[in-house]
Amino acid sequence: MLRPDPLWAKAPFALRRYPGLFASLALGALLLSLAAVALPLFLSATTSDLLRGQVQSAGVSRFGAGLEYRNDPLSFDALAPDGEAPLFDRLAALFARETSRSPALGGTVEGIMGSVIGVTPAAASGELRDGRLFAGTDAGAHVEMLAGMAGEGVTLPDLIADALGVSVGDRVTLTGRADRSVTVTVGGVYRALYAKPSPGYWQAWDDDIHNITCTDCAPLPQFILVGREQMLALDRQLGYTEASFTWQAPLATSSLTSQQARELQGFAADFHAAISDPKSELGAAFECCREPALFVSHQQVAFRTFIPQVVEAVDARVAAIEAPGRILRAAGLLVASLVVAATGMFAFGARRGEARLLQARGVSPVIVGVRGAVEALIPCVIGGSLGVGLGTLLVLTLGPDGRVAGDVWPGAFTSAAVAVLVAIVLLGLIATIAYLGSTERVSSGRSVRWIPWEVPVLVVGWLELERLRTVGALTAGSGGVDRPSSLMLAVPILLLAGAMGVGVRVSRWLASRLRDRSGRYGPASFLAVHRLAAAPALTAALFVASGMCLGVFVEGQTLVRSLQTTVEAKAEIFVGSDVQGRIDRRTPPIGPLPVPVTRVTRLSRAGTLDTGEEFDLLAIDPATFAAAAFWNDRFADEPLGALIGRLDDAHATSLGVVVVGEGAGVASLTMQQQRIPIAVVGRASAFPGAASLRPLVVADAATIQTWPSLGVEPLAQARASTELWGRGDPREVIDAFSTLALPPFQIVTATQIEDIPSIAAVVNTFLALNALGLGAAVLVVGALLMYLQARERSRLVAHGLSLRMGMTDRIHRRAMLLETTSLLTSAYAVGLVVALAVAVATIPLLDPLTAVRPAPLVVLPTRPMLFTLAGLGLASWLACLLADVRTRRVPLGEVMRTAE
């Protein structure tokens, strides 16, 4: 029997001798599987959470998101197509049968609304009140009972009971058509529904409960609750033979997954198609929807569901999250792959003795590559399994409070398995390439390293940057939500890669020049320079990896800080401050409030400047404006208080104004066909309240109102908007507004503007890139540790000889510190310059709210850049200390004997 090759037999467990490399490979596989599995689970849970929020909103509810069929009016005497049962009973049975096929829908809720009838006390001829008989499934459970119990006799609303002076146990007379009447007993009194919106159960009859066209008119006739059979009998006795029938199938639960919501949307479309086809069984019974429109509101016959609108709204919100998530996922997979590739390269550098032995035995590069993949199998499977478990745990415990759809799990696990397989194949490929590079057979091919590979990379990166400037940084996505182009990720990576290639060449040249002059250096410097010049492959790998990671980190920080500052400024300028509340222009002056508040009037297209440009007008109260309005010192050369403080400095013949935007050299403006001389007392590039790119003229409201040539109340125009601006925590400002005798009727906050999906999508994308950059910066430490481990293992013999020749541990540590610090700081310098240049070039292209000033602001992350530089020094010191400790633990005697 042939015995297996010991190299193959030991291959799966070979990395047990290198726990650091084993852990690094497991970490790389963990990152790969985590990046692969987390996004689909996170998006699914987010979608479920958003669906629940949409369904639970007052305008939708479980009932609105379900299915509703209404037939108004439907005759009691109408028969089913087979002529064997009343039509309303057959419709109820068919509706319940069909909707039960969807697991997302609950039981059928029936509602029958009769005609308007009169109600009077039976004991005496008192006042008459109008009402409607109503029979609904469990209707009594969805009202606030004030007395008695629903289901016994008739249940009156308090609006009728109080007006008639009747209570539980009293008799009332119901009057119908042709003076027909029926006397019944009052079994309960409930609070009438007209006083507040009709959520949930009563939403289908909201138009019949509330007089939405006239808020000052008397309430509509309210429902008199009765049982189903009692309803049909009473209506017939009162002379009515028809009523409005409505059947609803509400959601079984407010918590839907994306899979359930889309299945329900498809079910609703199929059900609608079936009842709209007169040739089908359902179409023969249901008279519905012969019109082209799918959803008809408040017709005589109507089918309605809000589930398409719910799904559309959620898709728009998810689109704002999905784009940055996919970018982060792709970048995470890329970074994790780089970690795996770097680990394989450093692993080869730490095992050069084994490579020479295999070379001496004549082992082919393919066999070495396959064996490297087999060695990586166990750590990659372990790391991949941990990544799947960690990703699942993070999403289920710390992620959105929503369920993950059942159809998402297989795809997520398959993605993780493919990612782990890619890691194993990548490691085999790296082992093959590294083995080829170490053999004498291809030593002549090493000259390819002098080919300027970085030049085409830089050219492609520059061309893509120019393309980005041409087509723009934002592209249209699903749901009508703009999102950053993929070029925003590709351009910095290409330019950083090319720049780091140039930096590697410069560092090699500099190291060789310094080595030629190393005779004048001290021992530590001498050793550091020779080490940098002696290992170009490992040195170049660490230089490129650390420079790119740190460059991505700096660029991400710059983009995020700039974009957040720009979006915040635009939102605050559009609103005017933190909170804006619209009020009636006739509202009397506002007294002191616990938060800074100012009153302004905005007038769009108020007139023209003498240059012919249309302008918007902002009339302010200078005494309160500076304390309550938003301001950024970049908008003008002086503080806001000083800018508006000069509005009263103009002469009586001219109007003092601050001009924002264009309008250079203006001396007058035309408003209401009256020419008004102006004195420009200040200029700004942006100003609170500027809601367009037209020039904005800021003036004192009191001066405008009393300007002689403008007549009475010049700001009382349809386009004018009188507003209160409040500064501070939005909740506190809104609470302060609510204490006013005439509170604002429409409130907008700057936070709401920032949360618009099209804006949030852009911000979230770069928040994701920022997280990626932070992770990349942390990976530099790991790369440094692997570099030192590989370098020290490959030069243990040289280290032992150096100790015999008098080198101390202190000199050894100082040499390593000089080597790593100079390498990392030079890589950081190159990455920093390129990252800032790319960020400054691309930030002007990122404007998610182009119709509002200011232009995108550039904010440099000064503190993070300095902290990163200090962190590199600290990381180098700690890594060198750890590497020195590990080196001293190696039995140098055994190493020297092996070398001999």
Side-chain angles (χ1 to χ4, degrees):
M1 179 181 296
L2 295 176
R3 299 183 63 183
D5 189 335
L7 289 177
W8 288 100
K10 296 180 179 180
F13 311 99
L15 291 183
R16 290 186 303 173
R17 295 176 296 154
Y18 306 96
L21 297 177
F22 188 98
S24 298
L25 289 178
L27 176 61
L30 184 150
L31 293 175
L32 276 171
S33 60
L34 177 63
V37 79
L39 179 64
L41 300 183
F42 176 81
L43 288 178
S44 181
T46 300
T47 303
S48 299
D49 192 25
L50 293 173
L51 281 169
R52 182 175 63 250
Q54 285 289 325
V55 169
Q56 291 178 344
S57 63
V60 180
S61 78
R62 291 192 305 112
F63 292 85
L67 273 60
E68 174 193 325
Y69 172 77
R70 180 167 181 163
N71 199 317
D72 179 16
L74 181 61
S75 173
F76 299 154
D77 299 324
L79 296 177
D82 57 11
E84 297 182 358
L87 180 57
F88 59 83
D89 283 340
R90 176 61 58 85
L91 292 177
L94 289 175
F95 187 86
R97 186 193 74 182
E98 294 303 314
T99 55
S100 65
R101 302 180 190 275
S102 173
L105 298 176
T108 300
V109 175
E110 182 183 54
I112 309 174
M113 182 181 68
S115 303
V116 177
I117 62 174
V119 186
T120 58
S125 57
E127 290 194 37
L128 174 70
R129 286 292 182 269
D130 289 337
R132 284 179 181 268
L133 290 177
F134 182 88
T137 306
D138 296 328
H142 296 276
V143 295
E144 181 184 352
M145 295 299 299
L146 302 178
M149 295 180 61
E152 298 181 3
V154 299
T155 303
L156 297 178
D158 60 347
L159 183 68
I160 296 178
D162 293 345
L164 300 181
V166 297
S167 59
V168 176
D170 292 341
R171 304 274 289 176
V172 295
T173 299
L174 307 181
T175 305
R177 182 177 293 174
D179 293 332
R180 294 189 182 186
S181 63
V182 179
T183 301
V184 294
T185 301
V186 178
V189 177
Y190 74 95
R191 190 178 302 279
L193 301 172
Y194 74 93
K196 57 183 179 180
S198 305
Y201 183 93
W202 299 105
Q203 188 173 1
W205 299 277
D206 193 58
D207 293 347
D208 305 296
I209 296 172
H210 301 281
N211 194 340
I212 59 176
T213 60
C214 180
T215 57
D216 297 330
C217 298
L220 295 176
Q222 297 295 289
F223 292 162
I224 302 171
L225 306 183
V226 294
R228 186 178 191 269
E229 298 305 322
Q230 185 183 13
M231 161 82 187
L232 299 176
L234 287 174
D235 249 13
R236 287 183 182 276
Q237 294 176 36
L238 295 173
Y240 298 107
T241 60
E242 61 185 20
S244 174
F245 285 80
T246 300
W247 293 276
Q248 292 179 283
L251 297 182
T253 174
S254 298
S255 299
L256 289 177
T257 65
S258 57
Q259 179 184 11
Q260 292 172 326
R262 299 191 187 283
E263 288 176 352
L264 178 58
Q265 186 178 9
F267 177 84
D270 293 341
F271 183 80
H272 166 262
I275 64 178
S276 301
D277 183 5
K279 298 179 181 180
S280 67
E281 176 195 6
L282 295 177
F286 287 83
E287 180 188 354
C288 182
C289 318
R290 306 290 190 256
E291 297 82 7
L294 175 59
F295 301 108
V296 184
S297 61
H298 200 56
Q299 297 289 328
Q300 286 188 340
V301 177
F303 172 78
R304 185 176 69 171
T305 176
F306 288 138
I307 192 65
Q309 292 92 324
V310 168
V311 172
E312 182 180 358
V314 170
D315 284 344
R317 298 300 306 170
V318 172
I321 304 171
E322 185 177 9
R326 293 195 180 281
I327 289 179
L328 182 60
R329 184 193 195 191
L333 290 172
L334 176 62
V335 171
S337 299
L338 292 176
V339 171
V340 172
T343 302
M345 182 179 298
F346 291 135
F348 183 85
R351 301 167 63 187
R352 291 188 181 275
E354 296 180 24
R356 294 191 184 97
L357 178 62
L358 294 176
Q359 179 184 346
R361 293 185 176 184
V363 178
S364 71
V366 175
I367 297 299
V368 172
V370 174
R371 182 170 172 265
V374 173
E375 290 180 356
L377 182 63
I378 292 179
C380 285
V381 169
I382 293 176
S385 302
L386 291 176
V388 170
L390 180 60
T392 303
L393 181 64
L394 289 175
V395 171
L396 296 182
T397 57
L398 302 179
D401 189 18
R403 292 186 296 153
V404 177
D407 61 341
V408 174
W409 293 101
F413 291 155
T414 301
S415 299
V418 171
V420 173
L421 181 62
V422 168
I424 295 173
V425 174
L426 180 62
L427 285 166
L429 183 62
I430 291 296
T432 302
I433 295 174
Y435 182 71
L436 281 172
S438 66
T439 59
E440 295 179 357
R441 288 173 294 178
V442 295
S443 59
S444 60
R446 293 180 181 176
S447 60
V448 298
R449 72 183 186 185
W450 298 110
I451 298 177
W453 301 106
E454 62 276 10
V455 173
V457 175
L458 284 172
V459 171
V460 172
W462 178 262
L463 293 176
E464 292 301 309
L465 177 60
E466 292 300 317
R467 180 186 171 196
L468 193 64
R469 289 176 175 173
T470 302
V471 302
L474 302 179
T475 59
S478 60
V481 177
D482 290 342
R483 60 194 61 182
S485 168
S486 57
L487 293 177
M488 289 297 299
L489 177 64
V491 166
I493 290 179
L494 288 172
L495 292 178
L496 280 170
M500 299 317 297
V502 175
V504 164
R505 294 185 183 276
V506 173
S507 64
R508 282 175 177 169
W509 174 80
L510 184 60
S512 63
R513 293 294 300 270
L514 292 175
R515 182 179 56 186
D516 295 340
R517 304 178 182 180
S518 59
R520 295 173 292 178
Y521 302 158
S525 301
F526 179 90
L527 188 58
V529 168
H530 277 260
R531 285 179 172 179
L532 286 172
L538 289 179
T539 301
L542 180 61
F543 187 93
V544 172
S546 59
M548 289 189 65
C549 288
L550 294 171
V552 169
F553 169 69
V554 171
E555 195 222 9
Q557 285 279 318
T558 307
L559 289 177
V560 167
R561 289 169 180 265
S562 301
L563 191 58
Q564 284 181 325
T565 302
T566 300
V567 169
E568 178 185 355
K570 285 177 175 287
E572 296 272 3
I573 280 180
F574 182 83
V575 173
S577 187
D578 296 318
V579 181
Q580 172 203 119
R582 293 192 63 177
I583 60 175
D584 189 273
R585 62 181 178 81
R586 294 163 294 187
T587 301
I590 305 300
L593 290 176
V595 295
V597 174
T598 189
R599 179 170 176 164
V600 303
T601 298
R602 285 200 258 196
L603 182 56
S604 175
R605 301 182 187 275
T608 58
L609 302 173
D610 55 12
T611 59
E613 298 174 280
E614 283 190 314
F615 70 90
D616 296 340
L617 176 67
L618 180 68
I620 68 172
D621 175 15
T624 59
F625 189 81
F630 167 77
W631 186 251
N632 187 310
D633 289 338
R634 297 188 181 194
F635 297 161
D637 297 332
E638 54 188 329
L640 178 60
L643 191 65
I644 64 174
R646 295 195 301 272
L647 289 177
D648 293 333
D649 291 349
H651 300 289
T653 57
S654 60
L655 176 67
V657 298
V658 173
V659 177
V660 182
E662 301 298 330
V666 294
S668 66
L669 57 84
T670 301
M671 184 176 172
Q672 296 182 0
Q673 299 181 347
Q674 300 295 321
R675 181 180 176 276
I676 303 175
I678 61 173
V680 179
V681 298
R683 292 187 175 276
S685 60
F687 202 85
S692 73
L693 296 180
R694 290 186 294 272
L696 178 70
V697 173
V698 183
D700 186 344
T703 305
I704 287 284
Q705 290 283 24
T706 58
W707 196 259
S709 62
L710 292 180
V712 180
E713 294 191 275
L715 299 178
Q717 299 184 34
R719 299 190 309 274
S721 170
T722 303
E723 304 164 0
L724 291 181
W725 294 354
R727 188 173 184 178
D729 182 84
R731 292 183 180 179
E732 295 180 1
V733 176
I734 294 174
D735 289 342
F737 283 173
S738 65
T739 63
L740 299 174
L742 294 174
F745 57 84
Q746 181 180 355
I747 292 179
V748 180
T749 68
T751 304
Q752 292 173 331
I753 302 299
E754 295 177 38
D755 199 40
I756 294 174
S758 58
I759 298 176
V762 180
V763 177
N764 290 339
T765 297
F766 291 105
L767 284 175
L769 289 178
N770 194 27
L772 168 66
L774 183 60
V778 173
L779 288 176
V780 172
V781 179
L784 177 60
L785 291 174
M786 288 189 291
Y787 168 81
L788 288 175
Q789 180 181 6
R791 295 288 286 125
E792 292 305 308
R793 283 188 176 274
S794 65
R795 58 193 182 199
L796 284 175
V797 175
H799 178 65
L801 292 174
S802 298
L803 291 177
R804 290 184 177 184
M805 297 173 64
M807 183 185 71
T808 64
D809 292 336
R810 182 179 180 182
I811 293 176
H812 180 241
R813 288 193 300 269
R814 186 180 299 175
M816 284 194 297
L817 184 61
L818 286 173
E819 176 187 358
T820 56
T821 302
S822 60
L823 189 61
L824 290 180
T825 52
S826 58
Y828 178 49
V830 176
L832 180 67
V833 172
V834 176
L836 291 179
V838 173
V840 171
T842 54
I843 285 173
L845 308 177
L846 293 171
D847 195 347
L849 202 58
T850 55
V852 179
R853 292 186 174 91
L857 304 173
V858 178
V859 180
L860 298 181
T862 306
R863 290 186 179 181
M865 289 190 297
L866 294 177
F867 288 156
T868 300
L869 183 61
L872 288 177
L874 179 61
S876 298
W877 181 77
L878 292 176
C880 292
L881 184 63
L882 178 61
D884 182 67
V885 171
R886 295 183 62 178
T887 302
R888 280 186 280 137
R889 290 179 179 176
V890 176
L892 291 178
E894 296 293 333
V895 174
M896 299 298 293
R897 282 193 294 272
T898 302
E900 294 172 357

